[in-house]
Amino acid sequence: MNVPSHKIQKEHPAAADELPFQMPLMQTMQVCVEIWGEACNFTISRLDANVRTQRKILDSGSLDEIQVVQWRHVEKMMDDYHDEVGRMIKYCQGLPETAQFPPGASGNQTAGHRAAGDSGKRPGGQAG
């Protein structure tokens, strides 16, 4: 198809706010980048805490001290993971809702039901 260049130059893609539909892909990608960054920062901080704990264990003079150091480490670890789950949930709430598609002609079936065909029986002879 031969299109003159002056026609191409006059056309421009619509801006995101001009589109008749929303673009959830960009929002999803932004949230994924934020989640990945948060996960990396969390992993680094947990590794640093683990190294500090190992150093304290090596510097301990008795088994009782080692138990106290390990117990404090586990308590902090549980608090950190609890806080991180809360942050991840907040990030996931920023994701756009997924499209809801109606079930196909065969309905929502597990792979086992589809493999058994239309007989309604599960593999192994059990009725569905």
Side-chain angles (χ1 to χ4, degrees):
M1 180 174 164
N2 192 4
V3 179
S5 63
H6 66 2
K7 186 174 182 179
I8 293 174
Q9 291 172 355
K10 288 182 182 179
E11 294 177 6
H12 61 84
D17 57 349
E18 296 173 1
L19 294 174
F21 55 89
Q22 293 181 355
M23 296 181 59
L25 179 62
M26 294 306 292
Q27 182 182 0
T28 301
M29 292 302 295
Q30 179 64 33
V31 172
C32 288
V33 167
E34 290 173 11
I35 288 173
W36 181 252
E38 180 65 34
C40 289
N41 288 336
F42 177 73
T43 301
I44 290 169
S45 69
R46 287 303 317 143
L47 288 172
D48 287 342
N50 199 9
V51 168
R52 285 192 304 272
T53 298
Q54 295 301 322
R55 286 184 181 150
K56 288 178 185 176
I57 288 173
L58 290 173
D59 293 339
S60 297
S62 69
L63 291 176
D64 291 334
E65 283 182 58
I66 291 173
Q67 278 185 318
V68 169
V69 168
Q70 286 179 329
W71 181 251
R72 287 181 182 156
H73 176 77
V74 169
E75 284 181 326
K76 173 119 175 60
M77 178 185 68
M78 296 301 287
D79 290 341
D80 289 348
Y81 275 95
H82 180 268
D83 295 342
E84 185 66 13
V85 167
R87 282 190 291 274
M88 288 296 178
I89 288 172
K90 286 180 184 176
Y91 281 122
C92 290
Q93 288 172 345
L95 289 171
E97 291 186 29
T98 57
Q100 299 295 320
F101 297 103
S106 62
N108 292 333
Q109 297 178 346
T110 62
H113 281 96
R114 286 191 300 271
D118 291 335
S119 65
K121 293 185 177 181
R122 293 183 183 161
Q126 298 173 351

